[in-house]
Amino acid sequence: MRVLVAGSSGLIGGALRTRLTGAGHEVRRLVRRRPGRPDEHGWDPPSGRIDEGAFDGVDAVVNLCGAPLASGRWSAARKQLLADSRIEPTEVLAEAVAEHGVPTLVNASGINYYGDTGGTGVDESAPIGAGFLARLCGRWEAATEQARRAGARVVLLRTAPVLTAEGGLLGPLLPLFRFGLGGRLGDGRQYLPWISLPDEVSAIRFVLEHAEVAGPVNLTAPTPVTNAEFTRALGRALGRPAPWRVPGVALKAALGEAADEMLLTGPRALPGVLSAAGFDFRYPDLDGALAEVTRAG
């Protein structure tokens, strides 16, 4: 396949490029700077400009654009940036997919689509939840509508926090836990869906190569855990105690709404579509994934 990737310089995008080219696919990149290689094409989402020829012969577009969610308190300006960095590029790409007749659009979304589900497990059939992140994911996914109406297969990647030594969920946690400063957040009963980086990029390759997969797809391991379980597992992987507890009130005082939606609540999300389609997780359990990550880091 010839795959055009937006957001290819990020953690997931870089790993995906390596995985796809290793599997024999041709990867083109959309970049916002001046293109410097034959596989790069310039674009500017605010103006809707994309270099001529970027979509020639393209079989699929993968859109991974979006500013990081974990960046302190969510001011009104920060919320607007989080929305604009997702919705605007998606609308531009969906229009281009429709215009050029690209068969497939694989678009990022987030597992926070479901909001806080407590102990109730949810798959892709569950309705949208409450809160800023759920509404953001709903708007993000709706921005693909023009491609779907034009007949493209649209896949919506509802991605859980990704485990890797290079950053993501574990970036700020590994140093703390290595110094014995790790601990659960709040009461620790909130669920924390997760996925390893190898499974994240393998799952994206899987949906690209399996034309029967369409619509929302939960990119999350089949074994969601509570925050307390995650804390104990990371402590075991590093051989360090993790006895501490960060009170929820302190997190809310420091981070406000971001703490409530990202740290103190979460969905018990399950990969229903991937499991039904026969996707084989390399790291289905947390201990195995953390053992690999901590060896690599």
Side-chain angles (χ1 to χ4, degrees), residues 97-169:
V97 163
E99 178 185 348
H100 294 277
V102 178
T104 297
L105 171 61
V106 176
N107 204 82
S109 182
I111 208 68
N112 293 100
Y113 176 94
Y114 305 104
D116 180 27
T117 70
T120 302
V122 292
D123 64 12
E124 292 84 354
S125 65
I128 191 169
F132 168 71
L133 287 181
R135 293 191 299 272
L136 176 60
C137 290
R139 293 174 61 199
W140 198 359
E141 295 183 4
T144 66
E145 181 62 18
Q146 191 165 348
R148 190 191 66 80
R149 287 201 308 264
R153 175 175 68 106
V154 176
V155 181
L156 304 167
L157 305 175
R158 293 177 181 168
T159 298
V162 177
L163 301 187
T164 172
E166 284 73 46
L169 173 66

Side-chain angles (χ1 to χ4, degrees), residues 6-21:
S8 62
S9 60
L11 184 70
I12 296 171
L16 179 64
R17 287 187 354 247
T18 300
R19 182 63 56 87
L20 291 179
T21 54

Side-chain angles (χ1 to χ4, degrees), residues 1 12 28-29 36 49 80 111 137 211 260:
M1 300 174 67
I12 296 171
R28 292 182 178 179
R29 304 174 61 192
R49 180 190 62 79
Q80 190 62 53
I111 208 68
C137 290
D260 199 40

Side-chain angles (χ1 to χ4, degrees), residues 144-242:
T144 66
E145 181 62 18
Q146 191 165 348
R148 190 191 66 80
R149 287 201 308 264
R153 175 175 68 106
V154 176
V155 181
L156 304 167
L157 305 175
R158 293 177 181 168
T159 298
V162 177
L163 301 187
T164 172
E166 284 73 46
L169 173 66
L170 291 178
L173 294 182
L174 285 175
L176 292 174
F177 275 72
R178 286 192 170 109
F179 281 105
L181 299 176
R184 72 184 190 276
L185 305 180
D187 62 20
R189 293 197 294 266
Q190 67 275 29
Y191 268 85
L192 175 63
W194 61 275
I195 188 169
S196 71
L197 182 59
D199 282 332
E200 170 82 6
V201 297
S202 291
I204 298 174
R205 175 189 167 189
F206 183 89
V207 302
L208 281 168
E209 295 176 346
H210 288 73
E212 72 277 12
V213 178
V217 179
N218 290 347
L219 266 57
T220 184
T223 53
V225 296
T226 65
N227 176 264
E229 291 168 335
F230 181 88
T231 298
R232 290 193 292 269
L234 184 53
R236 284 195 302 271
L238 294 170
R240 296 287 189 275

